[in-house]
Amino acid sequence: MERIQDAYRADTFREDGHRLIDQLADYLEALHERPGEQPAMPYQRPNELWSQWREAPPANIQELFARVLQQSVAVHHPQYMGHQISPPVPVAALAGLLGDFVNNGMGVYEMGMAGTVLERLVVERMARELGFGPEAGGFLTSGGTLANLTALLTARSLKVPERVWTEGQREPLALMVSAEAHYCVDRAARIMGWGSEGVIKVPTDDNYCLRTDLLPECLEAARQRGRRVIAIVGSACTTATGSFDDLEALADFAEAHDLWLHVDGAHGAALALSPEYRHRVAGLERADSVAMDFHKMLTTPSITTALLYKRQRDTYATFQQRAAYLLEWEQPDNWYDLARRTFECTKLMLGLKAYAILATQGVEFWRDYVTRVCRTTEQFAAQVRQRKSLKLAMEPQTNIICFRYHSEGMTEEALNHINRSIRQELLEDGSFYIVQTLLDQSVYLRCTLTNPFTTETHIAGLLEIIEKIGAKLRAGQPSTSALYES
Ligand SMILES: *Cc1c(COP(=O)(O)O)cnc(C)c1O
């Protein structure tokens, strides 16, 4: 019993908690004031790190926290320009701590009263921001991947007249999506049992946007193969290059052919909040459903995703299932027992984290944030254009930018090798964190400008190093990366 009492002691919690917050505040301060002294990426090889922990476990909770902090990629570092995760606003992380502590399960109203109400407020606010009307609704869910699957399940429920839920799926179905879409759309179709033929990948143009002129022939070809197409998924934007599909054209096509239009706006739906950039998502409000990640461009801890619907009533069609032990599912206007409409039964108090930002900073903060990181990315592109040995994949449309080291007369294979080596050297050096992607078989360096404190100076520093490593490798000197060689 003593052990049990010990684990729940209020005074220890108070002490540990204060210490942790101090530690995090010091860390944030150091990243803001002396970023040059901290690595953005304190890279260690997986097996090394694993044996370190196995052989020397932390002596106490402070050491555990300190080590985790020291061994994690610093998303708050202005030279973090890697994957799409945004640096969470500290107040949202605090809200996360509160949510973890009260641990309300959110499946039914009583098990998450405040969380349920805040979720509705966040969803309604975001639906308005995207341009949806008063009929709109939705909920929060655990990630864009799950949101996309859930939206497609709704589409299937509503577009297929047989009762798939009770009788199983009889007809081979399909959806249409850009060849550059996030892999989770393909995965969702396969989970639903549609197989490879269930995903019609429409080719893209020079900017990696879906070629809407090819939609009629893709639809016809699918029909010829005996497929019934029920949905079209727009990318706003794609993950690799940040390319926005023409949502107006997709909406026209969907309307003409009675298709469900889902927009995967996991990354880019947030551009709707920026007066300067919202033209990129023109037509978004015509979608039947939109997925939007708060942990990508809305500075909320992972994972917080809104699945928004043009019509709230559609959300009740997804899971036509009874769970007798839960409460009052039958009431048509029961918006508050969330598990009825979400994939999850128990889920985190996601609305709390986003609401904490809304309540303290207002939506204007998000407008400023989105605008700022997109502008910084345009400055990045301008700097790439000025450097002879660097080349853009395309003009950036959001805060994602792809470019590569380039030199006349080198084979594609050699360029791919150089760009891969550059990224690997940067990873191990750790002062900057960037990633890479493959576009039409060519290796490109890829950055997401997610930290609002990243400036032109940080960008110039990065490009300088890249050119230097590139020139060195081009001259035939071996990569300093021991990892890459092994
Ligand atoms: C990140 C991303 C996803 C996946 O979202 P998660 O929240 O990581 O599950 C889906 N689609 C696009 C376009 C994305 O950028």
Side-chain angles (χ1 to χ4, degrees):
M1 191 60 201
E2 205 175 315
R3 207 187 281 274
I4 292 175
Q5 270 166 354
D6 204 41
Y8 288 92
R9 280 175 68 130
D11 54 350
T12 321
F13 173 60
R14 189 189 310 277
E15 234 170 80
D16 292 344
H18 280 291
R19 228 181 269 143
L20 174 62
I21 299 298
D22 280 340
Q23 204 170 12
L24 293 176
D26 289 346
Y27 171 84
L28 190 63
E29 204 168 69
L31 289 179
H32 284 170
E33 288 170 13
R34 303 177 296 282
E37 295 170 20
Q38 332 282 329
M41 165 52 83
Y43 190 77
Q44 280 179 274
R45 299 176 204 195
N47 286 337
E48 264 172 31
L49 197 57
W50 175 68
S51 19
Q52 235 180 66
W53 280 88
R54 203 184 45 160
E55 281 151 32
N60 52 43
I61 196 70
Q62 287 83 35
E63 192 190 327
L64 169 63
F65 291 163
R67 267 164 73 175
V68 168
L69 202 53
Q70 192 200 346
Q71 296 171 0
S72 299
V73 60
V75 297
H76 291 91
H77 198 299
Q79 294 180 168
Y80 171 97
M81 309 180 196
H83 289 290
Q84 298 149 278
I85 299 288
S86 54
V89 169
V91 79
L94 286 179
L97 172 63
L98 172 61
D100 281 358
F101 189 89
V102 300
N103 204 23
N104 280 204
M106 301 290 292
V108 291
Y109 172 68
E110 294 159 12
M111 273 308 291
M113 294 177 290
T116 301
V117 169
L118 296 183
E119 175 164 328
R120 178 170 173 180
L121 291 173
V122 168
V123 160
E124 287 179 345
R125 180 65 207 234
M126 286 302 124
R128 249 193 349 262
E129 290 294 332
L130 298 197
F132 280 140
E135 305 265 279
F139 45 80
L140 300 182
T141 191
S142 306
T145 301
L146 195 59
N148 287 331
L149 172 61
T150 308
L152 292 168
L153 288 169
T154 314
R156 186 172 66 172
S157 282
L158 290 169
K159 291 291 181 194
V160 182
E162 317 82 73
R163 293 177 56 92
V164 174
W165 195 262
T166 44
E167 291 159 30
Q169 191 175 302
R170 293 176 175 171
E171 202 179 350
L173 303 177
L175 60 82
M176 300 205 288
V177 67
S178 151
E180 291 293 325
H182 192 274
Y183 70 85
C184 70
V185 175
D186 181 276
R187 189 180 277 186
R190 290 168 197 269
I191 289 170
M192 292 189 291
W194 300 1
S196 318
E197 293 257 321
V199 186
I200 296 144
K201 292 191 175 144
V202 184
T204 56
D205 62 20
D206 291 346
N207 283 324
Y208 306 97
C209 304
L210 183 148
R211 278 188 55 190
T212 51
D213 59 310
L214 297 179
L215 286 171
E217 60 192 81
C218 287
L219 181 64
E220 188 46 40
R223 284 179 177 161
Q224 297 282 331
R225 291 196 304 271
R227 286 279 163 170
R228 171 144 161 230
V229 179
I230 62 161
I232 181 159
V233 178
S235 300
C237 49
T238 64
T239 304
T241 54
S243 305
F244 287 82
D245 289 345
D246 180 347
L247 300 180
E248 295 283 12
L250 294 186
D252 288 343
F253 191 82
E255 271 167 29
H257 298 275
D258 190 29
L259 306 175
W260 183 275
L261 174 60
H262 173 65
V263 172
D264 179 0
H267 186 90
L271 265 67
L273 278 85
S274 163
E276 198 171 318
Y277 290 96
R278 72 162 303 144
H279 64 275
R280 301 239 196 264
V281 292
L284 190 64
E285 72 289 348
R286 295 175 64 192
D288 295 293
S289 53
V290 178
M292 172 163 93
D293 279 350
F294 284 72
H295 50 279
K296 299 267 182 70
M297 280 194 97
L298 294 172
T299 63
T300 308
S302 312
I303 46 182
T304 308
T305 300
L307 179 54
L308 303 164
Y309 289 75
K310 187 194 281 167
R311 296 163 297 270
Q312 165 87 331
R313 70 181 129 86
D314 291 351
T315 65
Y316 296 95
T318 319
F319 306 109
Q320 296 167 4
Q321 189 181 28
R322 308 276 180 269
Y325 59 93
L326 299 173
L327 296 169
E328 299 178 2
W329 294 70
E330 308 301 329
Q331 278 175 256
D333 58 348
N334 176 345
W335 58 269
Y336 43 79
D337 291 322
L338 285 165
R340 189 184 186 200
R341 300 184 285 140
T342 63
F343 206 104
E344 302 99 322
C345 177
T346 304
K347 97 179 168 193
L348 290 166
M349 294 170 67
L350 305 172
L352 169 59
K353 300 184 215 183
Y355 188 83
I357 301 174
L358 270 178
T360 55
Q361 306 294 329
V363 80
E364 288 68 28
F365 160 76
W366 280 332
R367 293 197 211 297
D368 291 352
Y369 169 86
V370 169
T371 306
R372 181 168 175 100
V373 294
C374 289
R375 279 193 196 150
T376 307
T377 312
E378 285 175 8
Q379 292 164 359
F380 194 125
Q383 289 198 39
V384 169
R385 265 184 256 112
Q386 281 162 11
R387 291 175 186 260
K388 264 218 297 292
S389 56
L390 300 179
K391 196 176 119 188
L392 285 172
M394 57 175 264
E395 289 300 323
Q397 299 182 354
T398 174
N399 63 334
I400 298 173
I401 184 165
C402 293
F403 64 105
R404 68 191 315 214
Y405 182 82
H406 173 82
S407 180
E408 290 303 326
M410 288 188 76
T411 64
E412 194 49 38
E413 199 184 357
L415 285 173
N416 282 349
H417 179 75
I418 285 191
N419 281 287
R420 246 185 242 119
S421 308
I422 289 172
R423 139 74 194 173
Q424 191 62 38
E425 281 198 27
L426 287 169
L427 176 69
E428 287 171 55
D429 172 75
S431 29
F432 292 87
Y433 179 60
I434 73 165
V435 296
Q436 68 185 30
T437 192
L438 205 57
L439 301 175
D440 308 322
Q441 310 306 316
S442 298
V443 176
Y444 276 80
L445 303 171
R446 174 172 173 272
C447 291
T448 308
L449 280 289
T450 184
N451 190 316
F453 300 105
T454 301
T455 63
E456 287 176 272
T457 315
H458 300 119
I459 294 165
L462 170 68
L463 299 183
E464 196 99 351
I465 295 180
I466 289 174
E467 283 198 316
K468 217 179 266 174
I469 302 174
K472 180 191 75 181
L473 293 169
R474 184 167 178 269
Q477 290 166 28
S479 168
T480 57
S481 161
L483 235 196
Y484 189 69
E485 300 303 316
S486 62

